[in-house]
Amino acid sequence: MGPMEERIDLDSEEEIPFTSSPNGSKVHPLDFEKVRLTSHRGFANSWIHKQSRISPLRSIYTVLMTAKINVLLPFGPLAILLHYLTRNHVLVFFLSMLGITPLAERLGYATEQLAFYTGPTIGGLLNATFGNATELIISIYALKNGMIRIVQQSLLGSILSNMLLVLGCSFFTGGIVHYNKVQEFNQATASVNSGLLLMAVMGIMFPAVLHFTHTEVHAGKSELALSRFSSCIMLVAYASYIFFQLKHQSSLPNPNRDVDEEGVTEEGSEEEESAEITQWEAIGWLAVLTLSVSVLSGYLVDAIEGASDALNIPVAFISVILLPIVGNAAEHASAIMFAVKDKLDITIGVAIGSSTQISMFMIPFCVVVGWLMGKSMDLNFQLFETATLFIAVIVVTFMLQVRKSNYLKGLMLILCYLIVAASFFVHVDPSTDDD
């Protein structure tokens, strides 16, 4: 009787984790690790075997079927088909944009799922990196084809879209939902990102000033050399910023979790804090989605100039306004969602953090990649674009000085973005892509 009683006690203790979730239908990832280490290998192995059989289908259903925006997925293959059948640049361009939109959103979803396993700091970095993967892929493909101005303008547009449109919509929506209270955010995090943005503006402004004041030592070469040197410095500064975040993550406030003293979540249910797919499934989906975006981006870039001529719309407007809206779909949705949940620290991290990464990493990275490719990609974004970026950063910096948000601030940022969009609609780019 002794061994039998011992066995019954063990069984009763090990079944607790599986009954902790409602109806036993969903198991937390940490519970899976507990089961794997238990002494009852037969029960654990049968559960693992059952999960391994349904996991791929469940993962496909979760990623491809649950989001409503996935109804736009068929437009991607349709754009590729029309590229070879009709050569209609307008249709290919718009269908490619529609097809990339759900891919960009699902890319953000996969990184959020991976963040459950990597921790909040690394997860936030992955979220910002893969959230900007669409812009980076489009930029590298355009750079390879010598479309330097499209690279510059699309990256500039991503910064403006995140700072003005995404942050503005988040402040406005959060202020409307929480009209009876004042929303606050961590001013220290916002100040660091604002400082990095101002440093990026300085790195971009000096080559443009050097060019337009005609004070170069070697005409046409000095601004390129200065751009490459400044890009290396900006990459070092961004690497230092990432190192600081990772090194001091324990001493910095963690906006990703809002817990009380007992460690219980104050807002949100258990389902909001648990992963829906496994770690390796998230990594696999990141690879698949990144490859899909890469393929579709090629057809999108090829159709830009043809669509511009057919619609009589400036290429600058397409590059600065239309492309970033598609690429920032994931950031736009997630930033608004967190603002509605009154988690403005995460909203600031998504919107301003993404702008910081584009300005301090992606733009210098493209300059270095162009250097390796033999392309004269530089930081001279021309006078009009540089002035637009400088004024936008100043406006956002003033908005973030006070650690409070309301719908009026959001509305002002949205209206500023509309002015920028109208300005680029009537702007004629004086430079050419002879490079």
Side-chain angles (χ1 to χ4, degrees), residues 83 88-90 92-93 96 298-308:
H83 172 80
N88 188 322
H89 295 293
V90 177
V92 172
F93 175 75
S96 297
Y299 296 95
L300 176 65
V301 171
D302 289 338
I304 287 179
E305 293 182 349
S308 174

Side-chain angles (χ1 to χ4, degrees), residues 317-350:
F317 180 81
I318 294 177
S319 302
V320 176
I321 305 300
L322 296 184
L323 290 183
I325 291 178
V326 174
N328 293 331
E331 288 93 335
H332 207 150
S334 59
I336 292 177
M337 177 188 68
F338 286 123
V340 170
K341 293 181 178 180
D342 197 20
K343 298 181 179 180
L344 281 188
D345 284 327
I346 307 180
T347 297
I348 297 293
V350 171

Side-chain angles (χ1 to χ4, degrees), residues 149 153 212 316 381-385 427-434:
R149 287 297 292 159
Q153 291 170 345
F212 286 99
F381 279 43
Q382 303 299 321
L383 187 59
F384 184 83
E385 287 84 351
H427 171 63
V428 178
D429 191 1
S431 62
T432 57
D433 289 328
D434 295 334

Side-chain angles (χ1 to χ4, degrees), residues 177-222:
V177 173
H178 302 279
Y179 65 92
N180 57 345
K181 61 175 293 187
V182 177
Q183 290 187 295
E184 296 184 354
F185 53 86
N186 186 352
Q187 190 175 3
T189 303
S191 299
V192 172
N193 283 285
S194 298
L196 288 172
L197 285 173
L198 288 171
M199 179 180 178
V201 169
M202 183 179 67
I204 293 174
M205 179 179 291
F206 285 153
V209 172
L210 189 67
H211 174 79
F212 286 99
T213 56
H214 305 288
T215 56
E216 302 172 86
V217 176
H218 302 287
K221 295 182 180 180
S222 295

